[in-house]
Amino acid sequence: MALTAAASAREILTRLHDVMAKRLPAQSKLNSVVNTIGEVLHSEVCSIYLLREGVLELFATRGLAQEAVHVTKLAMGEGLVGTIAQHVETLNLDEAEMHPAFAYRPETGEEAYHSFAGVPIIRRERAVGVLAVQHAEPRRYADVEIEALQTVAMVLSELIANADLVDSTGGGTTRPQSTAATHAQGFKLVEGMAAGVAVFHQPRITIEHTVAEDIEAERHRVYAAFDKMREQIERMASQAEFGGGGEHDEVLATYKMFAYDEGWSRRINEAIDSGLTAEAAIERVQQRTRQRMREIDDPLLRDRMHDLEDLSNRLLRTVSGQLGTAASMGLRQDSILIARNLGPAELLEYDRRRLKGVVLEEGSLTAHVTIVARAMGVPVLGRVRDVRQLIAEGDMLLLDTSEESLLVRPSSAMQEAFEAKLALSQKRRAAFARLRSEAPITLDGHRVTVMVNAGLRDDIAAVDLTGADGIGLFRTEFQFLVSATLPQREAQRRLYKDVLEGVGEKSVTFRTVDIGGDKALPYLDHDEEGDEENPAMGWRALRLALERGGLMKAQARALIEAGAGRTLNIMFPMVSEPWEFDEARALFEAQRAWLAARGKKMPAEIRYGAMLEVPALAEVLDLLLPKVDFLSIGTNDLTQFLFAADRAHPKLALRYDWLSPSILRFLKRVTDQAHAAGVPVAVCGEMGGRPLEAMALIGLGIDRLSITPAAVGPIKAMVRSLDRASLMKVVEIQLADPRTSLRAALEAWAQEHSVELA
Ligand code: PEP
Ligand code: MG
């Protein structure tokens, strides 16, 4: 009798449903399960092996010797059962003995059986057991039978988890011992070391119920979830930016393709027909796809698989109504966050005390999420491939971005080595901390001003901790990013006042809101003029602020009131032409007059500066310089515009070097021109926080840096070991006849002259 997969699975599932509902001990349930499966599939043998203390133990059998139960044990990778569990793969053999991994166990009496089929029992993407059937007659099992077994294995995983029978249950924090340590490589985005458990930003759903009570209702749930997911994808496509930037049309196109793929939804429906719940059906189909993809070793398909995994996970979350990110559930222990990409606001939702590190599949050095992580002191490793294949939720991870490495499920020897290195790096940090009260003066007596970049209230302490000269860039938009609604003027004023009071006599430069680009605010309508194809070059920063006069006015008042009695430094982002600076300044001056007329206490002085981030401004510096009190070069945006290379694009992250002659010559020209006009120049991009790059900047004549707090120690150490005059000569010579990059030459020079480059 030809069985359809759905019919045989459904029959087994209906019977299993009854078994599971009974108040029986787990062992009796397992015994009933093997009997049921054996009967329906007309199989002489049916056995269940479960992972206990790292080995696969025969827990129940029909057909093999009962004395073997709880006696026969196989290690991961040992025998057919161990092979199935280790590779999370199905085996279907007409002659079991012929398989190279076959291991004969006399106590079972299995010599009578020739054919063998086994499927892994999977929980959280790992095998926690094996379900196997055997026949005396040598024959391969039909696809429908294998599919029925796989479906049943899903249900078994629920039964096993509920009965707490295997190692890997219990919140996903413990793993099968034999799940080996592994290692992933990435690209250092934020320096540091961290240990913690893996937490996926988009959590995977653990399926609690696998057997459907009402098949029609399950069908309906999947149907509605598909609708909702398609809607979400359409919305993402129309916003042209999601996940915080860096994700691109290509991904979106693939998402769309899968979301509308009839084959996918049909397979899910078929799985529901066999008696599974919507969640179990989605997962069941995904397991099958995973296995097929593993068999086809094609990197292009692998990338696609990655997208389908994402989408399947999204569908699971939609159908189960668990839409929140890991942030909304809170971190329960020291954690390393894993995501494809993140927006800065998403990162800020996490508890800073427990978030120890971030691993991104994409990511770039100057994306705002990286800047925020750097400011939070959270190490980030980017461009790590195949994280979902390598890491499961709850796995122990050791992150060492200086080695660009991530250890997954480390052995105790690895942990010891890691801890030794961590202690050493803490020692070095302590050495930098001792530089706190030392001034950054070069060997030839030149004082460099080293300030920090900040944006949150918590960052204020960094000034004192590092001994920096003040805050050279206060990114006021961070307050907007962490807030669910537009921050009121009073909330803004309080923050600015706290910042000024927090730094005491030291100076603070407030940058007016730089919203837009990869810092879109959900509560602000960014695309009044239609979709933005290139948000980084779009309606952002000063462009947006000048048009949204109300926003800028409120901020101006908040800043002026907070600065009462002090010098207030205000800087405008993304100034592209001098008139924009004029307008912004005039807006502030009007607010000053308005507040003064109402008898408010005024700042002693307001100094206005412009950020130089748009190359066009450099061509009209002669017009701008007489108007400004200072200039601050934002090398993050500047380099993306100079090279026409998206700062958040993962493929461009390594392509152009900050030490390329074009950037350095550009900076040199701007600096010389500003200095000739008596205007101080600072660099406040990430470039200034990297010792070799900062050295090059000093070699160009730049003597004001605003950098991430963690870099203050290393930069001070570099400055204090540097002879500026001879460096300037070298830089001049190198720039006159440069190679593609000055990196090698400057590195060699630094080494020769014992410059400390941490
Ligand atoms: C820059 O562009 O270099 C800069 C400092 O501003 P942000 O990174 O906030 O765009
Ligand atoms: Mg910028």
Side-chain angles (χ1 to χ4, degrees), residues 368 511 514 540 611 613 636-637 647:
H368 279 102
R511 174 175 76 182
D514 182 3
R540 61 172 278 208
M611 283 193 75
E613 305 182 88
N636 303 337
D637 275 313
R647 65 194 262 187

Side-chain angles (χ1 to χ4, degrees), residues 321-604:
Q322 298 176 43
L323 284 166
T325 65
S328 61
M329 290 180 254
L331 301 177
R332 273 181 243 117
Q333 51 192 322
D334 286 358
S335 305
I336 293 181
L337 187 66
I338 300 169
R340 183 174 193 145
N341 213 335
L342 281 176
E346 289 176 305
L347 182 66
L348 287 165
E349 282 174 20
Y350 285 92
D351 178 349
R352 292 175 83 165
R353 287 162 305 166
R354 292 199 168 141
L355 181 66
K356 299 296 173 193
V358 175
V359 173
L360 298 177
E361 291 176 77
E362 299 190 345
S364 76
L365 273 175
T366 55
H368 279 102
V369 62
T370 311
I371 293 172
V372 172
R374 201 171 285 131
M376 287 163 76
V378 174
V380 184
L381 190 67
R383 305 173 68 204
V384 181
R385 294 182 60 91
D386 298 333
V387 285
R388 287 227 180 252
Q389 277 80 51
L390 292 173
I391 307 169
E393 188 95 37
D395 272 346
M396 181 65 199
L397 302 178
L398 299 177
L399 180 64
D400 183 356
T401 65
S402 65
E403 302 284 335
E404 305 203 307
S405 102
L406 176 72
L407 291 174
V408 185
R409 301 178 294 277
S411 64
S412 52
M414 288 168 174
Q415 293 217 26
E416 272 167 35
F418 181 87
E419 273 155 25
K421 187 169 174 202
L422 187 65
L424 202 70
S425 90
Q426 274 161 350
K427 246 192 197 158
R428 274 184 56 210
R429 256 215 305 274
F432 288 136
R434 279 197 289 280
L435 287 176
R436 174 174 171 268
S437 45
E438 306 288 333
I441 302 177
T442 62
L443 292 176
D444 51 339
H446 193 88
R447 175 71 157 87
V448 177
T449 301
V450 178
M451 298 168 290
V452 292
N453 292 344
L456 297 169
R457 198 177 250 105
D458 289 2
D459 299 339
I460 306 170
V463 176
D464 191 44
L465 283 173
T466 57
D469 292 310
I471 297 176
L473 164 63
F474 190 87
R475 290 182 165 103
T476 59
E477 66 276 7
F478 280 11
Q479 185 187 20
F480 290 63
L481 282 174
V482 294
S483 167
T485 53
L486 204 66
Q488 297 298 305
R489 178 163 63 98
E490 178 50 24
Q492 295 182 42
R493 188 194 63 80
R494 257 186 280 124
L495 172 64
Y496 306 149
K497 196 156 173 48
D498 288 351
V499 174
L500 287 167
E501 280 172 2
V503 302
E505 295 298 298
K506 293 178 179 176
S507 88
V508 179
T509 301
F510 290 99
R511 174 175 76 182
T512 58
V513 282
D514 182 3
I515 313 169
D518 62 350
K519 288 181 287 196
L521 300 180
Y523 49 83
L524 201 75
D525 187 8
H526 287 273
D527 48 9
E528 282 173 348
E529 304 299 318
D531 299 345
E532 285 203 278
E533 291 229 349
N534 294 302
M537 296 195 286
W539 197 55
R540 61 172 278 208
L542 197 56
R543 300 163 183 183
L544 179 152
L546 284 176
E547 257 181 72
R548 292 269 178 136
L551 185 96
M552 182 97 145
K553 271 185 201 159
Q555 185 170 38
R557 282 189 202 167
L559 281 163
I560 295 167
E561 285 188 63
R566 309 186 42 136
T567 297
L568 185 64
N569 299 298
I570 302 295
M571 148 165 111
F572 304 117
M574 291 279 290
V575 177
S576 309
E577 294 199 311
W579 66 265
E580 292 172 326
F581 174 83
D582 293 338
E583 272 199 18
R585 188 181 193 280
L587 185 147
F588 263 74
E589 284 299 299
Q591 296 315 306
R592 166 155 52 180
W594 192 89
L595 287 168
R598 276 150 190 83
K600 298 275 185 193
K601 189 171 177 210
M602 288 293 107

